[in-house]
């Protein structure tokens, strides 16, 4: 405890020391007992109050201000997660799950302090059933890690948000990515979840050990937790669908004279029934950034990146139809990539879009926002968004999974310029409401987190919000699970997590 007391003197974020006057709460003893209880479960190495560790676990890839937790725990099993949750529940301490920190909406910030559950030590692939095309993983397993594990099986997991995110974190945010047009999002690819609830109860959403491809048994609890962003429980296992690796994969790049012609081609390709695996749009600003960042030489015009999966015979037909459609819309000749190495370089350029955008303005910050609309409305919303960016002098390259109506603006801004910050904020509000006016959603795959709580209410309406709040109250009546996120609940922070002389 001597080291622990020394740590208190060097941080203003611990819950029992006042950040303004640096006086200690009378509840130090009770907090020390809580820390001791955590260590009895996870060992000394499984509990950290160090400032660097807490800072690391209070931020993601978003522009939201870092809000570090008061304590970080590193459980190694579901039994430890359950035991730690019971301690938190007894002492009414907020709990924030943490995977890899690749989120984009501030979902891991500890708004009311509390305990971060860092799940990286739970990194086992538990059950692989090759003949049934499914696998069960712990929350520390990432999508790249799983596909590396599957390398010699002829199977893969195709949901690809770009970042090497944890698979349970991807379930928690209902992530998707470049392959969603063919393989779907996490909602379509999660068969079962093991979840630790706020009171430490362990729940199997489809029944313990169950992994059928479909069911009509009762409420769909699995999809209740997919997209819940840690506000209903901590996901400790996920059973996922797998797919056979296609016989052939061919990628292509095609340039267009205008945004309208590129997006029109996307819509027409899908309407023609082409079974395309990926179809990604990059506007001229984004393709220029990718060229500079990756030393490429694509034409600096609106561009589509495409990929076809299937047998050699089926791909010939797909490619022929796609070439005809793009040619009719003024598209240039395809630049083909058939071997794995060339395709890898092509898609690396697409996945590096975030860093390429940042490089346009060194020293600035990037903010990524996304929306999704019905495919028929895609040309209109992208054209209007492009005009909005130009009119308001905002650096906002556009990239998107346009095959399912989803696109992103990777906005680069100077956070120290109040006028620019305000212009960007106003733009993102307009973009979201433009999508809602077109029968779309304010977030296709990033989640709600902190940034889009008000927009969620506009999107689903007050009745749906009340139902969500009722579900939250039923599963987490003390509001301890990731408080302040998604619907913006006000957390009930226990008195010993606040100083008596001031509030946060």
């Amino acid at each position: 405890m001597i080291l622990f007391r020394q740590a208190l003197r060097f941080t203003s974020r611990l819950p029992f020391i006042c950040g303004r006057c640096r006086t200690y709460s009378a509840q130090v003893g009770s907090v020390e007992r809580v820390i001791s209880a955590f260590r009895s479960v996870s060992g000394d190495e499984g509990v950290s109050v160090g400032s660097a560790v807490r800072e690391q676990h209070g931020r993601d890839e978003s522009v939201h201000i870092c809000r570090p937790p008061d304590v970080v725990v590193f459980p190694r099993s579901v039994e430890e997660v359950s035991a730690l949750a019971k301690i938190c529940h007894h002492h009414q301490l907020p709990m924030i799950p943490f995977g890899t920190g690749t989120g984009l909406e501030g979902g891991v910030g500890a708004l009311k302090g509390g305990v971060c559950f860092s799940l990286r030590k739970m990194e086992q692939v538990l059950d692989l059933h090759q003949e049934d095309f499914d696998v069960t993983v712990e929350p520390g397993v990432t999508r790249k890690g799983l596909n590396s594990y599957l390398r010699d099986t002829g199977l893969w997991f195709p949901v690809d948000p770009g970042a090497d995110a944890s698979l349970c974190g991807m379930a928690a945010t209902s992530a998707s990515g470049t392959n969603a047009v063919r393989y779907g999002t996490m909602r379509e690819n999660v068969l079962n979840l093991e979840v630790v609830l706020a009171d430490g109860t362990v729940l199997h959403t489809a029944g313990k050990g169950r992994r059928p491809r479909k069911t009509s048994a009762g409420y769909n609890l699995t999809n209740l937790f997919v997209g819940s962003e840690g506000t209903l429980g901590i996901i400790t296992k996920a059973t996922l669908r797998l797919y056979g690796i296609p016989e052939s994969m061919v990628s292509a790049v095609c340039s267009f004279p205008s945004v309208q012609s590129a997006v029109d081609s996307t819509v027409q390709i899908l309407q023609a029934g082409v079974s395309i695996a990926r179809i990604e749009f990059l506007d001229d600003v984004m393709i220029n950034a990718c060229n500079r960042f990756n030393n490429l030489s694509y034409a600096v015009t609106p561009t589509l990146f495409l990929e076809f999966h299937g047998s050699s015979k089926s791909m010939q037909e797909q490619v022929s139809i796609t070439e005809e459609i793009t040619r009719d819309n003024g598209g240039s000749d395809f630049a083909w990539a058939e071997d794995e190495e060339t395709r890898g370089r092509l898609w690396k350029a697409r996945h590096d879009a975030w860093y390429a955008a940042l490089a346009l303005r060194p020293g600035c910050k990037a903010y990524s926002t996304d929306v999704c609309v019905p495919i028929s409305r895609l040309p209109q919303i992208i054209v209007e968004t492009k005009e909005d960016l130009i009119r308001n002098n905002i650096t906002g390259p556009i990239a998107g999974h346009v095959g399912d109506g989803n696109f992103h603006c990777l906005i680069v801004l100077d956070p120290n310029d109040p006028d620019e910050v305000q212009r960007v904020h106003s733009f993102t509000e307009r973009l979201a409401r433009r999508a809602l006016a077109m029968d779309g959603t304010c977030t296709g795959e990033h989640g709600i987190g902190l940034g889009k709580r008000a927009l969620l209410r506009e999107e689903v309406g007050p009745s749906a919000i009340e139902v969500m709040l009722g579900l939250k109250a039923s599963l987490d009546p003390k509001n301890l699970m990731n408080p302040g996120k998604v619907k913006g609940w006000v957390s009930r922070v226990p008195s010993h997590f606040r100083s008596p002389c001031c509030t946060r």
Side-chain angles (χ1 to χ4, degrees):
M1 284 301 167
I2 292 174
L3 290 175
F4 181 61
R5 289 181 186 277
Q6 288 175 342
L8 297 184
R9 295 187 176 92
F10 292 96
T11 175
S12 62
R13 275 287 298 158
L14 284 171
F16 34 88
I17 181 173
C18 173
R20 296 177 182 171
C21 60
R22 306 244 175 201
T23 59
Y24 289 97
S25 162
Q27 301 295 328
V28 169
S30 66
V31 175
E32 289 180 346
R33 286 193 292 275
V34 171
I35 298 293
S36 178
F38 290 157
R39 287 178 172 152
S40 72
V41 173
S42 296
D44 289 345
E45 73 285 354
V47 181
S48 178
V49 293
S51 59
V53 174
R54 293 188 296 107
E55 289 282 337
Q56 175 191 351
H57 288 83
R59 63 163 57 90
D60 56 15
E61 295 287 346
S62 72
V63 296
H64 296 287
I65 295 172
C66 176
R67 300 290 185 89
D70 301 302
V71 183
V72 182
V73 295
F74 300 89
R76 294 159 295 191
S77 66
V78 63
E79 291 79 15
E80 286 192 16
V81 175
S82 176
L84 293 165
K86 288 176 181 177
I87 295 169
C88 292
H89 189 261
H90 176 73
H91 292 279
Q92 298 189 50
L93 308 181
M95 293 172 267
I96 306 97
F98 188 95
T100 56
T102 55
L104 292 167
E105 288 295 343
V108 298
L111 299 186
K112 301 297 180 180
V115 182
C116 173
F117 283 63
S118 182
L119 302 167
R120 69 187 187 199
K121 291 187 177 181
M122 298 174 65
E123 54 183 0
Q124 299 298 310
V125 178
L126 297 172
D127 293 296
L128 171 61
H129 300 96
Q130 291 180 237
E131 67 282 5
D132 295 323
F133 293 81
D134 65 64
V135 67
T136 299
V137 299
E138 289 186 324
V141 179
T142 66
R143 66 168 187 91
K144 287 184 180 179
L146 175 60
N147 281 326
S148 177
Y149 181 91
L150 296 170
R151 184 181 296 119
D152 298 325
T153 67
L155 303 174
W156 71 315
F157 184 72
V159 181
D160 176 7
D164 189 22
S166 66
L167 291 158
C168 289
M170 288 167 59
T173 56
S174 192
S176 57
T178 58
N179 286 314
V181 64
R182 175 162 182 166
Y183 298 100
T185 72
M186 289 301 289
R187 287 198 185 277
E188 292 78 45
N189 288 288
V190 177
L191 303 175
N192 199 352
L193 293 172
E194 178 185 82
V195 182
V196 174
L197 302 179
D199 63 357
T201 299
V202 179
L203 168 70
H204 297 88
T205 58
K208 189 171 183 179
R210 309 283 177 202
R211 48 190 181 87
R213 284 301 179 108
K214 64 179 181 180
T215 176
S216 59
Y219 298 156
N220 190 340
L221 296 180
T222 301
N223 272 353
L224 174 62
F225 284 90
V226 174
S228 61
E229 302 185 39
T231 62
L232 300 180
I234 300 171
I235 299 174
T236 52
K237 288 187 185 71
T239 301
L240 307 170
R241 294 175 182 259
L242 299 177
Y243 296 80
I245 295 175
E247 174 189 330
S248 298
M249 296 184 186
V250 177
S251 299
V253 178
C254 186
S255 301
F256 291 85
S258 68
V259 171
Q260 184 77 46
S261 60
V263 182
D264 282 347
S265 291
T266 300
V267 175
Q268 292 166 24
I269 289 167
L270 296 171
Q271 289 174 337
V274 175
S275 183
I276 197 163
R278 305 187 192 187
I279 183 163
E280 297 283 300
F281 171 81
L282 285 74
D283 74 348
D284 57 327
V285 180
M286 189 73 261
I287 200 71
N288 180 51
C290 288
N291 278 347
R292 293 166 59 179
F293 190 76
N294 290 285
N295 295 316
L296 302 172
S297 56
Y298 295 125
V300 182
T301 61
T303 301
L304 290 181
F305 285 29
L306 309 99
E307 187 163 278
F308 306 88
H309 293 178
S311 66
S312 298
K313 183 177 180 180
S314 68
M315 281 202 297
Q316 289 176 7
E317 182 180 9
Q318 293 178 47
V319 169
S320 176
I321 294 171
T322 302
E323 284 187 319
E324 182 179 350
I325 290 171
T326 56
R327 189 165 49 248
D328 289 345
N329 284 286
S332 67
D333 292 335
F334 280 99
W336 290 103
E338 298 188 42
D339 63 281
E340 185 175 351
E341 183 179 352
T342 307
R343 286 191 298 103
R345 286 199 302 269
L346 186 156
W347 288 107
K348 183 179 185 300
R350 169 62 183 90
H351 286 323
D352 284 346
W354 172 270
Y355 304 104
L358 267 175
L360 290 173
R361 295 179 64 185
C364 289
K365 300 292 185 182
Y367 171 61
S368 178
T369 187
D370 80 315
V371 296
C372 188
V373 297
I375 294 171
S376 63
R377 308 301 296 273
L378 199 55
Q380 179 185 353
I381 192 170
I382 290 186
V383 169
E384 291 182 6
T385 299
K386 182 78 172 172
E387 293 170 349
D388 196 343
L389 288 165
I390 295 170
R391 186 168 56 250
N392 288 281
N393 193 29
I394 295 172
T395 303
I398 294 175
H401 321 308
V402 288
D404 52 15
N406 180 207
F407 71 95
H408 310 259
C409 286
L410 309 182
I411 302 168
V412 188
L413 73 159
D414 179 359
N416 298 313
D417 182 342
D419 176 67
E420 185 175 17
V421 170
Q422 181 56 48
R423 281 186 285 115
V424 168
H425 175 73
S426 298
F427 164 78
T428 58
E429 295 282 312
R430 287 194 301 274
L431 173 59
R433 292 192 169 93
R434 189 177 295 129
L436 295 181
M438 296 183 186
D439 303 324
T441 176
C442 68
T443 176
E445 59 186 19
H446 290 181
I448 297 297
L450 293 175
K452 295 186 174 181
R453 294 174 296 184
L455 291 164
L456 176 64
R457 179 174 289 272
E458 293 182 31
E459 180 170 325
V460 302
S463 297
I465 291 293
E466 287 304 313
V467 172
M468 292 184 193
L469 293 175
L471 290 167
K472 170 75 169 173
S474 176
L475 292 168
D476 181 20
K478 295 182 180 180
N479 188 30
L480 302 179
M481 298 306 308
N482 208 7
K485 311 298 169 49
V486 183
K487 292 167 289 298
W489 276 43
V490 177
S491 178
R492 302 178 182 89
V493 183
S495 60
H496 60 271
F497 255 46
R498 294 178 300 203
S499 168
C501 55
C502 67
T503 58
R504 293 184 187 181

